[in-house]
C-alpha cells in the first residue's frame, strides 16, 4: 500500500494547530479518557480507518484498557464488559457517525441516554471527539494514509 499524498492536515501550514487546540479543549471537558478512546475507536471501526484504529489501540492501551474489552468494542452491545455510561457514549458515537443511515440519525432516546451519564460540557467533549475522529477517518481513508506513517 502507498498513500496517495501526504496527510492534508500536515501538508497545509496552520491546520494542525487549531486541530490540536480542539483536541486540548475536548480533553478538558471532563470526559474520562477511557470513554474518549472508546468513542474514537468505535467511530474509526465503523469508517474502516486503519490509521485511526491503530492510533486508537495505542490510546486505549495507554488508558489502561484490557485486550478482552478492546477486542469487543465492535460488539459492545453483546459484551457484558461495558458500563452503562460507556454504552451510552458508544451508542452516541455510532449514531453520530452513521448520519446517512436514518432520517433521524441521532434519536432523542440515544441523546437522552447519553445525557443521563454526562453533563453538557462532557457531552460537548464527546460530540467533538466523534466529529474530529470522523474528520480524520475521512482524510485518512480518502488519501489512503498508512498506519505508522504519519504525514
Amino acid at each position: 500500500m502507498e498513500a496517495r499524498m501526504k496527510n492534508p492536515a500536515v501538508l497545509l501550514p496552520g491546520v494542525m494547530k487549531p486541530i490540536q487546540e480542539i483536541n486540548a479543549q475536548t480533553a478538558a471537558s471532563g470526559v474520562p479518557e477511557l470513554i474518549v478512546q472508546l468513542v474514537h475507536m468505535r467511530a474509526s471501526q465503523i469508517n474502516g480507518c486503519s490509521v485511526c484504529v491503530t492510533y486508537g489501540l495505542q490510546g486505549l492501551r495507554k488508558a489502561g484498557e484490557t485486550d478482552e474489552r478492546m477486542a469487543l468494542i465492535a460488539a459492545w452491545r453483546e459484551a457484558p464488559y461495558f458500563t452503562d455510561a460507556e454504552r451510552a457514549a458508544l451508542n452516541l458515537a455510532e449514531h453520530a457517525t452513521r448520519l446517512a443511515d436514518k432520517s433521524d440519525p441521532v434519536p432523542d432516546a440515544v441523546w437522552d441516554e447519553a445525557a443521563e451519564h454526562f453533563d453538557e460540557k462532557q457531552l460537548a467533549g464527546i460530540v467533538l471527539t466523534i466529529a474530529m475522529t470522523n474528520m480524520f477517518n475521512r482524510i485518512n481513508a480518502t488519501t489512503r494514509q498508512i498506519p505508522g506513517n504519519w504525514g
Side-chain angles (χ1 to χ4, degrees):
M1 289 188 90
E2 188 174 315
R4 289 178 167 149
M5 63 181 289
K6 287 185 177 183
N7 191 302
V10 175
L11 189 63
L12 296 178
V15 171
M16 282 306 293
K17 187 175 181 179
I19 289 171
Q20 290 170 335
E21 181 60 26
I22 291 170
N23 288 337
Q25 291 300 314
T26 300
S29 69
V31 179
E33 181 62 19
L34 184 54
I35 290 179
V36 169
Q37 294 299 326
L38 288 169
V39 163
H40 169 80
M41 178 58 80
R42 187 64 193 120
S44 297
Q45 289 173 332
I46 291 166
N47 290 323
C49 179
S50 63
V51 171
C52 289
V53 168
T54 301
Y55 176 77
L57 284 172
Q58 294 168 0
L60 284 162
R61 286 187 181 113
K62 186 176 177 183
E65 190 55 274
T66 66
D67 288 342
E68 188 170 34
R69 281 178 31 116
M70 284 190 291
L72 291 170
I73 292 169
W76 64 269
R77 283 183 176 82
E78 293 80 27
Y81 307 117
F82 299 96
T83 68
D84 289 344
E86 291 168 342
R87 290 175 183 283
L90 287 164
N91 200 24
L92 182 58
E94 286 187 0
H95 280 81
T97 297
R98 293 181 165 139
L99 294 177
D101 289 355
K102 299 177 183 169
S103 62
D104 184 12
V106 183
D108 288 341
V110 171
W111 181 264
D112 293 346
E113 178 68 22
E116 286 183 27
H117 299 280
F118 304 101
D119 64 27
E120 196 165 61
K121 188 174 177 184
Q122 291 171 317
L123 285 168
I126 292 169
V127 169
L128 285 169
T129 296
I130 296 164
M132 295 300 289
T133 298
N134 276 283
M135 178 189 73
F136 272 109
N137 292 166
R138 282 151 177 74
I139 290 169
N140 293 332
T142 301
T143 60
R144 291 190 181 157
Q145 296 300 302
I146 309 299
N149 293 343
W150 180 255

